[in-house]
Amino acid sequence: MSYLDQIDPRRVPRHVAIIMDGNGRWAKSQGQPRSAGHQAGVKSLHETLRGAKEAGVKYLTVYTFSTENWNRPRQEVETLMNLMVWAIEQETPGMIENGVSLQVIGDMSRLPENTRQRLQKCISDTAAGKVITLILAISYSARWEITRAARQLAEKVKSGKMKADEITEDAVSAQLTTINYPDPDLLIRTGGEVRISNYLLWQIAYAELYFCDTYWPEFGPEDLYKAIVEYQSRERRFGKTSEQVSDETK
Ligand code: IPE
Ligand code: IPE
Ligand code: MG
């Protein structure tokens, strides 16, 4: 029996965020170069996106390349940039057909001009997709994003567009790259490490966290469904008591 059958369709996480980790270790375990792991990871993303759509997830945000990943060997960075563009272009027709809209969050100014333009084209080509939004976090880190938000708010106050006491949580959220998406309900990290690595720190304040040992190239729809089933077994209290929560759902 598939885990899909165990999912309660009324309580599917609207937004799932994934830290796709373990490509390099998977490749090593196969006696292959790290690049082979990244290549295999593309297929996992394709399959996982299909699974997310099947389960009824509306937003899937995947950590594709972090700010800190710029510090990897130049050759690996280059491979990853090329692979990203190649994969996205190859996937675009299928995404259009399946109602997937592609979005990107992160510091695009650090990407090579050509990469940026080609990504932008895929974003426009898939803009009409209404079934699921795939958000790639590229050249992204939460501290970069929060620092940028602080700077933007400071500029607004300085120019008189805003008062300091108007800086509310909503005002901060509105300066983040994720302004158009709800906060993630479920955060998954593959590859065995139990850390957040500078991902969506503000937005995951109340997300349910799920860590699995599976290397990303071996992750697929069943693993996603399993995580969703586990998510549905948790009680999200948002600071309240269990009794309050069960009264609210009556
Ligand atoms: C995740 O896999 C992909 C990126 C960070 C781009 P890794 O490349 O981090 O793989 P491991 O963690 O070294 O196995
Ligand atoms: C996090 O993985 C970034 C991505 C998955 C893109 P890393 O492999 O870079 O994280 P650390 O270095 O193990 O924390
Ligand atoms: Mg890693």
Side-chain angles (χ1 to χ4, degrees), residues 183-232:
D183 285 344
D185 302 291
L186 169 63
L187 172 73
I188 299 171
R189 182 174 187 140
T190 67
E193 308 294 1
V194 186
R195 57 176 170 255
I196 302 297
S197 303
N198 215 350
Y199 194 39
L200 300 171
L201 294 177
W202 176 276
Q203 297 88 339
I204 60 168
Y206 264 106
E208 293 299 325
L209 308 184
Y210 181 91
F211 297 93
C212 66
D213 289 335
T214 313
Y215 292 141
W216 178 249
E218 286 179 342
F219 192 90
E222 271 307 308
D223 303 283
L224 174 70
Y225 302 151
K226 187 175 174 199
I228 294 176
V229 169
E230 154 92 30
Y231 162 87
Q232 292 189 333

Side-chain angles (χ1 to χ4, degrees), residues 31-210:
Q32 294 191 61
R34 293 180 59 84
S35 57
H38 298 314
Q39 180 77 50
V42 173
K43 186 163 165 280
S44 290
L45 178 54
H46 175 97
E47 294 295 314
T48 304
L49 173 63
R50 185 174 58 75
K53 184 177 158 242
E54 190 72 33
V57 171
K58 299 305 287 178
Y59 300 88
L60 183 68
T61 302
V62 293
Y63 211 1
T64 308
F65 190 89
S66 73
T67 302
E68 289 75 21
N69 289 151
W70 285 114
N71 299 322
R72 291 198 177 186
R74 200 175 58 92
Q75 186 61 49
E76 180 162 343
V77 170
E78 233 166 72
T79 303
L80 282 165
M81 289 295 141
N82 293 334
L83 181 63
M84 258 171 355
V85 177
W86 172 83
I88 292 164
E89 287 180 343
Q90 171 164 291
E91 294 286 330
T92 297
M95 289 198 276
I96 295 170
E97 199 175 313
N98 287 293
V100 180
S101 118
L102 180 78
Q103 300 275 300
V104 174
I105 56 171
D107 185 359
M108 292 302 107
S109 72
R110 291 187 74 176
L111 295 184
E113 175 66 19
N114 180 268
T115 309
R116 194 166 52 231
Q117 280 176 6
R118 288 164 69 185
L119 272 175
Q120 198 53 56
K121 177 157 188 335
C122 300
I123 294 169
S124 342
D125 288 351
T126 60
K130 292 277 179 285
V131 181
I132 184 169
T133 304
L134 172 66
I135 303 145
L136 305 179
I138 302 176
S139 188
Y140 172 90
S141 76
R143 287 187 172 185
W144 161 78
E145 170 177 58
I146 294 168
T147 306
R148 174 176 165 274
R151 204 179 301 126
Q152 286 167 184
L153 288 167
E155 288 294 345
K156 282 183 194 285
V157 172
K158 192 174 151 204
S159 67
K161 285 201 193 97
M162 200 177 185
K163 297 200 185 78
D165 60 10
E166 287 169 353
I167 302 179
T168 57
E169 289 191 8
D170 285 346
V172 175
S173 292
Q175 298 303 320
L176 301 179
T177 59
T178 47
I179 175 174
N180 296 318
Y181 324 122
D183 285 344
D185 302 291
L186 169 63
L187 172 73
I188 299 171
R189 182 174 187 140
T190 67
E193 308 294 1
V194 186
R195 57 176 170 255
I196 302 297
S197 303
N198 215 350
Y199 194 39
L200 300 171
L201 294 177
W202 176 276
Q203 297 88 339
I204 60 168
Y206 264 106
E208 293 299 325
L209 308 184
Y210 181 91

